[in-house]
PDB file of all heavy atoms in Angstrom:
ATOM      1  N   ASP A1606     -98.613  50.913  24.004  1.00 90.00           N
ATOM      2  CA  ASP A1606     -99.692  50.332  23.232  1.00 90.00           C
ATOM      3  C   ASP A1606     -99.160  49.745  21.882  1.00 90.00           C
ATOM      4  O   ASP A1606     -99.594  48.675  21.462  1.00 90.00           O
ATOM      5  CB  ASP A1606    -100.740  51.416  22.895  1.00 90.00           C
ATOM      6  CG  ASP A1606    -101.556  51.851  24.092  1.00 90.00           C
ATOM      7  OD1 ASP A1606    -101.547  51.068  25.075  1.00 90.00           O
ATOM      8  OD2 ASP A1606    -102.167  52.956  24.092  1.00 90.00           O
ATOM      9  N   LEU A1607     -98.288  50.482  21.247  1.00 89.00           N
ATOM     10  CA  LEU A1607     -97.649  49.984  19.985  1.00 89.00           C
ATOM     11  C   LEU A1607     -96.856  48.705  20.219  1.00 89.00           C
ATOM     12  O   LEU A1607     -96.914  47.765  19.420  1.00 89.00           O
ATOM     13  CB  LEU A1607     -96.789  51.084  19.349  1.00 89.00           C
ATOM     14  CG  LEU A1607     -97.511  52.304  18.793  1.00 89.00           C
ATOM     15  CD1 LEU A1607     -96.540  53.462  18.607  1.00 89.00           C
ATOM     16  CD2 LEU A1607     -98.222  51.929  17.505  1.00 89.00           C
ATOM     17  N   LEU A1608     -96.061  48.682  21.299  1.00 89.00           N
ATOM     18  CA  LEU A1608     -95.282  47.495  21.601  1.00 89.00           C
ATOM     19  C   LEU A1608     -96.164  46.257  21.909  1.00 89.00           C
ATOM     20  O   LEU A1608     -95.837  45.157  21.522  1.00 89.00           O
ATOM     21  CB  LEU A1608     -94.347  47.824  22.782  1.00 89.00           C
ATOM     22  CG  LEU A1608     -93.254  48.811  22.510  1.00 89.00           C
ATOM     23  CD1 LEU A1608     -92.630  49.269  23.810  1.00 89.00           C
ATOM     24  CD2 LEU A1608     -92.177  48.281  21.577  1.00 89.00           C
ATOM     25  N   GLU A1609     -97.299  46.532  22.558  1.00 87.00           N
ATOM     26  CA  GLU A1609     -98.228  45.405  22.830  1.00 87.00           C
ATOM     27  C   GLU A1609     -98.815  44.963  21.523  1.00 87.00           C
ATOM     28  O   GLU A1609     -98.997  43.743  21.320  1.00 87.00           O
ATOM     29  CB  GLU A1609     -99.317  45.908  23.787  1.00 87.00           C
ATOM     30  CG  GLU A1609    -100.321  44.850  24.158  1.00 87.00           C
ATOM     31  CD  GLU A1609    -101.353  45.306  25.131  1.00 87.00           C
ATOM     32  OE1 GLU A1609    -101.273  46.511  25.573  1.00 87.00           O
ATOM     33  OE2 GLU A1609    -102.234  44.487  25.472  1.00 87.00           O
ATOM     34  N   ARG A1610     -99.054  45.868  20.653  1.00 82.00           N
ATOM     35  CA  ARG A1610     -99.649  45.490  19.321  1.00 82.00           C
ATOM     36  C   ARG A1610     -98.743  44.551  18.529  1.00 82.00           C
ATOM     37  O   ARG A1610     -99.190  43.638  17.850  1.00 82.00           O
ATOM     38  CB  ARG A1610     -99.936  46.760  18.510  1.00 82.00           C
ATOM     39  CG  ARG A1610    -100.637  46.455  17.171  1.00 82.00           C
ATOM     40  CD  ARG A1610    -101.005  47.772  16.428  1.00 82.00           C
ATOM     41  NE  ARG A1610    -101.514  47.498  15.101  1.00 82.00           N
ATOM     42  CZ  ARG A1610    -101.689  48.463  14.180  1.00 82.00           C
ATOM     43  NH1 ARG A1610    -101.479  49.735  14.486  1.00 82.00           N
ATOM     44  NH2 ARG A1610    -102.131  48.067  12.982  1.00 82.00           N
ATOM     45  N   VAL A1611     -97.387  44.798  18.620  1.00 79.00           N
ATOM     46  CA  VAL A1611     -96.450  43.932  17.901  1.00 79.00           C
ATOM     47  C   VAL A1611     -96.021  42.725  18.752  1.00 79.00           C
ATOM     48  O   VAL A1611     -95.217  41.939  18.330  1.00 79.00           O
ATOM     49  CB  VAL A1611     -95.240  44.718  17.384  1.00 79.00           C
ATOM     50  CG1 VAL A1611     -95.660  45.824  16.469  1.00 79.00           C
ATOM     51  CG2 VAL A1611     -94.391  45.246  18.566  1.00 79.00           C
ATOM     52  N   GLY A1612     -96.552  42.626  19.983  1.00 78.00           N
ATOM     53  CA  GLY A1612     -96.337  41.439  20.784  1.00 78.00           C
ATOM     54  C   GLY A1612     -94.947  41.337  21.378  1.00 78.00           C
ATOM     55  O   GLY A1612     -94.445  40.210  21.542  1.00 78.00           O
ATOM     56  N   VAL A1613     -94.305  42.430  21.760  1.00 79.00           N
ATOM     57  CA  VAL A1613     -92.979  42.367  22.372  1.00 79.00           C
ATOM     58  C   VAL A1613     -93.118  42.946  23.773  1.00 79.00           C
ATOM     59  O   VAL A1613     -93.683  44.004  23.994  1.00 79.00           O
ATOM     60  CB  VAL A1613     -91.913  43.110  21.556  1.00 79.00           C
ATOM     61  CG1 VAL A1613     -92.302  44.528  21.363  1.00 79.00           C
ATOM     62  CG2 VAL A1613     -90.563  42.961  22.161  1.00 79.00           C
ATOM     63  N   HIS A1614     -92.539  42.240  24.740  1.00 85.00           N
ATOM     64  CA  HIS A1614     -92.567  42.699  26.101  1.00 85.00           C
ATOM     65  C   HIS A1614     -91.280  43.386  26.437  1.00 85.00           C
ATOM     66  O   HIS A1614     -90.278  42.734  26.825  1.00 85.00           O
ATOM     67  CB  HIS A1614     -92.816  41.462  27.051  1.00 85.00           C
ATOM     68  CG  HIS A1614     -94.036  40.715  26.727  1.00 85.00           C
ATOM     69  ND1 HIS A1614     -95.296  41.249  26.882  1.00 85.00           N
ATOM     70  CD2 HIS A1614     -94.208  39.473  26.217  1.00 85.00           C
ATOM     71  CE1 HIS A1614     -96.217  40.366  26.543  1.00 85.00           C
ATOM     72  NE2 HIS A1614     -95.590  39.310  26.102  1.00 85.00           N
ATOM     73  N   VAL A1615     -91.290  44.710  26.310  1.00 88.00           N
ATOM     74  CA  VAL A1615     -90.131  45.513  26.607  1.00 88.00           C
ATOM     75  C   VAL A1615     -90.639  46.886  27.151  1.00 88.00           C
ATOM     76  O   VAL A1615     -91.646  47.397  26.646  1.00 88.00           O
ATOM     77  CB  VAL A1615     -89.252  45.704  25.356  1.00 88.00           C
ATOM     78  CG1 VAL A1615     -89.940  46.398  24.269  1.00 88.00           C
ATOM     79  CG2 VAL A1615     -87.944  46.446  25.692  1.00 88.00           C
ATOM     80  N   SER A1616     -89.931  47.408  28.107  1.00 92.00           N
ATOM     81  CA  SER A1616     -90.360  48.686  28.660  1.00 92.00           C
ATOM     82  C   SER A1616     -90.118  49.838  27.679  1.00 92.00           C
ATOM     83  O   SER A1616     -89.046  49.898  27.092  1.00 92.00           O
ATOM     84  CB  SER A1616     -89.574  48.957  29.961  1.00 92.00           C
ATOM     85  OG  SER A1616     -89.804  50.289  30.410  1.00 92.00           O
ATOM     86  N   PRO A1617     -91.045  50.780  27.562  1.00 92.00           N
ATOM     87  CA  PRO A1617     -90.863  51.950  26.727  1.00 92.00           C
ATOM     88  C   PRO A1617     -89.687  52.796  27.197  1.00 92.00           C
ATOM     89  O   PRO A1617     -89.101  53.574  26.447  1.00 92.00           O
ATOM     90  CB  PRO A1617     -92.163  52.749  26.823  1.00 92.00           C
ATOM     91  CG  PRO A1617     -93.168  51.706  27.270  1.00 92.00           C
ATOM     92  CD  PRO A1617     -92.410  50.768  28.155  1.00 92.00           C
TER      93      PRO A1617
END
Side-chain angles (χ1 to χ4, degrees):
D1606 289 342
L1607 290 165
L1608 293 167
E1609 183 177 357
R1610 185 177 171 189
V1611 300
V1613 60
H1614 303 293
V1615 62
S1616 170

